[in-house]
Amino acid sequence: MTEQETAVLLKRRAEGITEVVLNRPDKRNAFDDVIIQQLINALTEVNDDADTKVVILRSEGKHFSAGADLGWMRRMADNTRQENLDDSRELARLMNVLNHLSKPVIGLVQGAAFGGAVGLAACCDIVIATEKSSFCLSEVKLGLIPAVISPYVVRAIGERQARRYFISAEVFTARQAEEYGLVHIVCDDVEAMEARCNGMLEQLALNGPEAMKAAKDLVFAVSHKPINDTVIDDTAHRIADTRVGEEGQEGLSAFLNKRRANWIPENK
């Protein structure tokens, strides 16, 4: 197999948990058009896998991802506008697929997350980083802009911080990323990050898989919408549907009868 063919791996971490792994540590997990397609394929596969309840996005090596691969950028510089547009649409598709994955996605960020990698982090539901993690929207240093990742990054860190970091290309720390909303949890080191991830997996295992999917969709349904009759009615329909659904019925029955819900593994 070539280096690119092994650049994205799928690993079963435990029952119900699948890892999507960037595996180019010698290239700081930089990605190009081929790897973008591999990521799309891997995410689509885990999304369609009924046995996967939670997805972890992580990388091998010292760094999460340096963003765009230098060789890819050289090729893009020589490409036509249409070829660049096609490339950009595929990166936009990757971000959209990751952002709207129907299952919870935990992102584990160690080392550098630069350029498009900030977009990957912004598209995860829960992001855990280390104290030494660093972030940079570095595109303007190359005379470019963080265009296709911008909707997700702006949603994560807000317009005010986006205006600063899109323009300045400053490196910011994991603690700053936590303050801005890009990162949820900062750990001392990679070992502590893995332990915190395991704790989060324990927490998610207690929750109904279909309910988590519906809760994620609920965020998209109400975010940035006016609280009007349409939104109010939609939320009422959503809770009514979940209450009478199979998982909702099981959850309520388990709670009222003080027993374990049937989706919780026996060892929890």
Side-chain angles (χ1 to χ4, degrees), residues 5-253:
E5 287 174 332
T6 59
V8 178
L9 305 175
L10 285 178
K11 295 184 177 182
R12 185 71 78 183
R13 184 182 180 113
E15 183 181 357
I17 303 161
T18 302
E19 296 183 335
V20 177
V21 185
L22 277 168
N23 186 40
R24 295 183 86 202
D26 57 320
K27 301 288 187 182
R28 298 203 304 166
N29 294 305
F31 47 81
D32 60 13
D33 52 341
V34 175
I35 295 165
I36 287 168
Q37 189 58 58
Q38 289 183 18
L39 279 168
I40 292 170
N41 293 342
L43 290 167
T44 301
E45 183 174 337
V46 296
N47 199 55
D48 294 340
D49 178 22
D51 293 330
T52 296
K53 309 303 181 188
V54 179
V55 177
I56 295 172
L57 178 65
R58 67 172 186 85
S59 298
E60 296 287 358
K62 295 181 179 180
H63 299 286
F64 179 65
S65 175
D69 179 82
L70 289 175
W72 183 39
M73 287 195 286
R74 289 191 189 100
R75 294 200 310 273
M76 286 191 293
D78 294 330
N79 284 349
T80 65
R81 185 185 185 281
Q82 185 60 51
E83 289 169 331
N84 271 279
L85 181 58
D86 293 341
D87 260 354
S88 299
R89 282 175 170 160
E90 283 305 290
L91 180 58
R93 186 159 75 96
L94 167 60
M95 298 298 160
N96 188 55
V97 168
L98 176 59
N99 192 61
H100 290 93
L101 211 73
S102 66
K103 298 162 186 186
V105 182
I106 300 174
L108 301 182
V109 179
Q110 80 283 12
F114 280 26
V118 179
L120 292 177
C123 291
C124 294
D125 300 307
I126 300 165
V127 178
I128 308 174
T130 70
E131 285 279 4
K132 292 185 178 180
S133 299
S134 58
F135 301 82
C136 183
L137 293 148
S138 53
E139 287 82 356
V140 293
K141 287 185 176 182
L142 304 175
L144 305 174
I145 56 174
V148 300
I149 68 171
S150 62
Y152 313 101
V153 176
V154 172
R155 288 281 180 94
I157 71 175
E159 182 181 323
R160 193 64 180 156
Q161 298 300 342
R163 286 170 63 175
R164 172 181 175 176
Y165 289 103
F166 281 17
I167 292 168
S168 70
E170 296 168 272
V171 175
F172 55 100
T173 67
R175 288 296 177 186
Q176 287 175 296
E178 182 182 35
E179 178 187 344
Y180 303 153
L182 180 65
V183 168
H184 297 95
I185 301 164
V186 179
C187 301
D188 290 342
D189 51 30
V190 171
E191 184 178 352
M193 180 176 71
E194 287 290 340
R196 191 65 182 85
C197 179
N198 287 335
M200 184 60 70
L201 292 171
E202 294 276 348
Q203 177 69 38
L204 296 181
L206 303 176
N207 306 332
E210 291 301 315
M212 289 192 292
K213 176 181 177 180
K216 183 171 178 175
D217 189 59
L218 175 63
V219 175
F220 295 131
V222 303
S223 181
H224 301 285
K225 299 281 182 66
I227 306 175
N228 55 24
D229 289 345
T230 300
V231 168
I232 291 169
D233 189 57
D234 178 54
T235 58
H237 277 281
R238 287 171 187 266
I239 187 57
D241 289 342
T242 58
R243 281 175 183 164
V244 300
E246 182 178 342
E247 192 174 272
Q249 289 286 296
E250 166 61 16
L252 289 169
S253 174

